[in-house]
Amino acid sequence: MNLTPTPADKFTFGLWTVGNPGRDPFGEPVRHKLSPVELVHVLAETGAYGVNFHDNDLVPIDATLSERSQIVRDFRAALESTSLKVPMATTNLFNDPAFKDGAFTANDPQVRAYALHKTMHAIDLGVELGAEMYVFWGGREGVESDATKNPAEAIKRFRDAFNFLCAYVRDQGYNLKFALEPKPNEPRGDIYLATVGAALAFINTLDHPEMVGVNPEVAHEHMAGLNFLHAVAQAWEAGKLFHIDLNDQAFGRYDQDFRFGSVNLKTAFFLVKFLEDVGYSGMRHFDAHAYRTEDYEGVKAFARGCMRTYLVLKEKARQWNADPDIQALLAEINAGDQSAPAYSREAAAALKARPFDRAALGARGLPYEQLDQLTVELLLGVK
Ligand code: GLT
Ligand code: MN
Ligand code: MN
């Protein structure tokens, strides 16, 4: 089994992932901060394909124009010397106190205008460094109390912002798509567009829905107790799976952002199997960070672990698809003409008149226990 990542695997990490210094609400950072250039070298060492960033991961929010140029020059040189790509960029619309009530949905119109201003500059920066995907994670786009904001008005404000930014990208002639990243809560008490399903419905109300897809994250759907694979599959089927954030998370917890596959192995397996089976060709972005117990050797072990687990599960998916026992059960389960009936008045009348043996339908045993156990044994390496 070859577990060495190659550029074709499209494994990427954000500067904020391997650069996470281990601060949490109860404790100070445990790792010294590395510069963006140093982080590019860490990632290159682990075998990643690309690096993503928020505007302020790279250029501090108060940098002067000349500081910005120097930073971009140095970063570009690091990318060139390591061959790392920048497939995706995003805006930090959550850290600064200006965004305490949200960015695009804030009640203060000056804050909403500043959010557009900041995002346009951040889009320019991302495009300058080669990004073709632009993520929107609205961490502060929500409320603690519904007394404070009209939720329908908030959706309208969101729509106005995306329509404005899509028009900006088109006007600049950029080759850039947008991916919305839903999350149900944290840091806000409740965040708007809380799930992948909500984001998919919203996209169809935009002026340029073809430019906008989703960036589902494992942990975020799991925080809401949802089935991540089902969300991903619906996005894929709608042609909207533009990007994906891979990590892991125990259900019912805070946003843990653990190493991919570290908690729900079977869930991770079916996710990888789905992405590989359908031929998803986008980035596999690991939006996670190392345990707070780690030094930078541990951070590298974390990054390598994300990619290795993905590659192991990819190989397991190949074995699952080739396994004769599993395939025999699948053939049995899916026997019969599976096509959906085409409607005609005659077909409907014939179907209404058709006799069914309801008791026999209910009595038929389905070998799902066997199939799931075979899956578990294959994953455990005893098959
Ligand atoms: C933040 C969040 C992630 C988002 C990032 C993009 S930043 O760390 O927890 O899920 O993908 O803004
Ligand atoms: Mn997260
Ligand atoms: Mn994410």
Side-chain angles (χ1 to χ4, degrees):
M1 205 184 294
N2 185 2
L3 300 180
T4 308
T6 70
D9 295 317
K10 306 262 172 64
F11 290 145
T12 64
F13 290 83
L15 283 180
W16 68 93
T17 64
V18 281
N20 183 301
R23 181 189 296 108
D24 73 15
F26 304 96
E28 297 302 325
V30 293
R31 292 182 282 270
H32 64 276
K33 247 181 119 50
L34 293 184
S35 71
V37 165
E38 288 170 314
L39 290 168
V40 165
H41 287 283
V42 167
L43 283 176
E45 224 184 289
T46 64
Y49 165 75
V51 58
N52 308 314
F53 55 80
H54 297 89
D55 50 352
N56 306 136
D57 297 340
L58 187 59
V59 181
I61 196 163
D62 49 7
T64 63
L65 270 181
S66 75
E67 286 164 346
R68 179 195 187 277
S69 325
Q70 186 60 50
I71 290 167
V72 170
R73 253 198 310 276
D74 294 347
F75 193 66
R76 198 190 289 283
L79 294 173
E80 274 161 18
S81 76
T82 56
S83 300
L84 248 70
K85 304 281 178 274
V86 174
M88 176 271 262
T90 182
T91 327
N92 188 324
L93 295 172
F94 44 89
N95 193 64
D96 195 85
F99 299 121
K100 63 191 174 191
D101 184 38
F104 302 137
T105 64
N107 279 335
D108 184 342
Q110 293 299 323
V111 173
R112 301 204 295 274
Y114 175 55
L116 290 176
H117 159 103
K118 190 172 194 289
T119 303
M120 287 189 287
H121 283 292
I123 286 175
D124 295 346
L125 176 68
V127 169
E128 197 179 331
L129 287 159
E132 295 185 353
M133 190 61 63
Y134 205 82
V135 162
F136 290 84
W137 172 67
R140 298 276 175 202
E141 310 286 12
V143 290
E144 283 68 47
S145 164
D146 284 322
T148 64
K149 218 174 279 178
N150 175 333
E153 192 55 39
I155 294 296
K156 288 201 188 90
R157 290 175 185 167
F158 242 143
R159 181 178 304 115
D160 290 343
F162 283 111
N163 285 340
F164 186 97
L165 292 168
C166 283
Y168 176 72
V169 165
R170 289 165 61 88
D171 198 27
Q172 297 297 310
Y174 290 157
N175 174 26
L176 190 70
K177 288 193 160 180
F178 289 172
L180 310 188
E181 180 179 341
K183 187 175 180 184
N185 57 272
E186 203 186 325
R188 295 313 292 270
D190 287 286
I191 299 177
Y192 300 121
L193 301 180
T195 62
V196 171
L200 288 172
F202 171 75
I203 289 167
N204 284 326
T205 71
L206 297 175
D207 289 347
H208 290 287
E210 72 286 352
M211 286 176 68
V212 186
V214 289
N215 176 38
E217 173 170 317
V218 178
H220 297 177
E221 299 297 301
H222 284 189
M223 284 172 73
L226 297 173
N227 183 313
F228 184 68
L229 174 60
H230 294 190
V232 166
Q234 191 182 351
W236 170 262
E237 208 269 339
K240 291 296 184 192
L241 187 65
F242 284 11
H243 199 263
I244 193 163
D245 275 4
L246 302 172
N247 57 12
D248 215 343
Q249 167 85 22
F251 280 77
R253 303 288 170 89
Y254 65 96
D255 184 20
Q256 295 179 306
D257 288 339
F258 285 153
R259 192 179 75 256
F260 180 59
S262 62
V263 183
N264 303 287
L265 209 43
K266 196 164 88 174
T267 304
F269 166 69
F270 281 116
L271 175 63
V272 170
K273 181 171 138 47
F274 180 85
L275 295 175
E276 297 300 320
D277 284 353
V278 299
Y280 167 75
S281 61
M283 297 300 137
R284 280 109 173 126
H285 174 229
F286 296 104
D287 189 9
H289 48 78
Y291 302 145
R292 196 163 174 271
T293 47
E294 306 308 297
D295 60 11
Y296 277 103
E297 280 314 302
V299 170
K300 286 180 207 161
F302 146 83
R304 290 196 178 100
C306 286
M307 296 184 279
R308 269 178 84 82
T309 299
Y310 189 100
L311 292 172
V312 173
L313 294 176
K314 180 177 168 181
E315 167 58 19
K316 291 284 178 185
R318 193 197 60 73
Q319 290 171 14
W320 198 94
N321 289 336
D323 187 279
D325 300 330
I326 289 174
Q327 290 311 312
L329 287 176
L330 286 177
E332 183 185 336
I333 289 164
N334 294 303
D337 181 2
Q338 295 283 347
S339 58
Y343 185 84
S344 68
R345 203 168 283 171
E346 298 68 37
L351 187 53
K352 281 173 85 177
R354 191 161 122 198
F356 283 91
D357 185 348
R358 183 168 46 80
L361 290 177
R364 182 184 163 213
L366 300 168
Y368 294 179
E369 285 286 0
Q370 281 185 61
L371 181 58
D372 188 71
Q373 183 64 23
L374 287 174
T375 303
V376 168
E377 292 189 12
L378 188 138
L379 288 178
L380 293 177
V382 295
K383 180 144 189 12

